[in-house]
Amino acid sequence: MPLVQADAVSPEPARDETHERARKIRPEFARGELVRVAGGRNQAEAELIQNMLLEEGVPSILRRTAGFDVPDFLAAGPRDVMVPESGVETARGMLEEADMSPSEPLPPATGRQALVILVVLLGVFGITALLGWLWIHGAI
C-alpha cells in the first residue's frame, strides 16, 4: 500500500507569510492565558526566540517590556515573549535546550545585608571626613 495517494489533491499552498506561520502552530499549545517565558534585549532577538518557538509549534507574541519605551527607536528596547499556558512547559524546555532560558532574578536584599551595606558606607564616609579634617588642620 503506498504511503501517499497518487490521485490525492496536494495541500493548499500558503497564501502569505501569516498563513505559513499559522500552519506551523500546534492547537494543543494555543490554549490559556498568556505567560512570559523569555525576553529579548531588542526586537530582533525576541523575534529569533519567537521563530524558534514556532518551529516547535508553540505560538507566541511579543510585547514591549513594561516601563520601557523608546518612541524614536521602535526596534530598540527589551521585549517579552509571551506564550499560551498550554505551551509554557514546551517553550521553557526548548529554551533550556538552546541555552536561552531567562536567568533567575537576584533575590532582594535582606534587612541584615542592607544594614551591613549601610555600616560600610558610613564607615568609609567617616574615615574620608576624618582624613579631610586632619588635612585641613595640617595634621597630615
Side-chain angles (χ1 to χ4, degrees), residues 6-130:
D7 61 343
V9 177
S10 62
E12 174 188 356
R15 296 183 295 258
D16 56 11
E17 184 182 342
T18 306
H19 188 230
E20 181 67 31
R21 290 176 65 88
R23 292 174 127 186
K24 293 180 179 181
I25 294 173
R26 294 176 49 192
E28 63 267 20
F29 295 143
R31 294 183 183 92
E33 296 292 319
L34 293 175
V35 177
R36 181 185 185 275
V37 293
R41 291 177 290 210
N42 52 45
Q43 185 171 348
E45 187 176 307
E47 285 176 354
L48 171 71
I49 295 169
Q50 188 178 32
N51 287 327
M52 290 172 63
L53 292 172
L54 185 61
E55 291 303 317
E56 294 292 322
V58 180
S60 61
I61 63 166
L62 302 179
R63 76 168 185 201
R64 249 183 223 280
T65 300
F68 192 89
D69 188 22
V70 183
D72 295 335
F73 303 101
L74 296 178
R79 302 287 198 277
D80 292 333
V81 180
M82 312 286 288
V83 301
E85 285 176 338
S86 61
V88 169
E89 188 175 320
T90 303
R92 288 190 176 146
M94 190 276 310
L95 290 170
E96 267 189 37
E97 284 178 22
D99 199 25
M100 296 182 74
S101 59
S103 59
E104 294 297 321
L106 295 173
T110 63
R112 180 175 169 81
Q113 291 170 331
L115 182 62
V116 168
I117 291 171
L118 179 64
V119 168
V120 168
L121 287 175
L122 289 175
V124 169
F125 177 72
I127 290 171
T128 304
L130 178 64

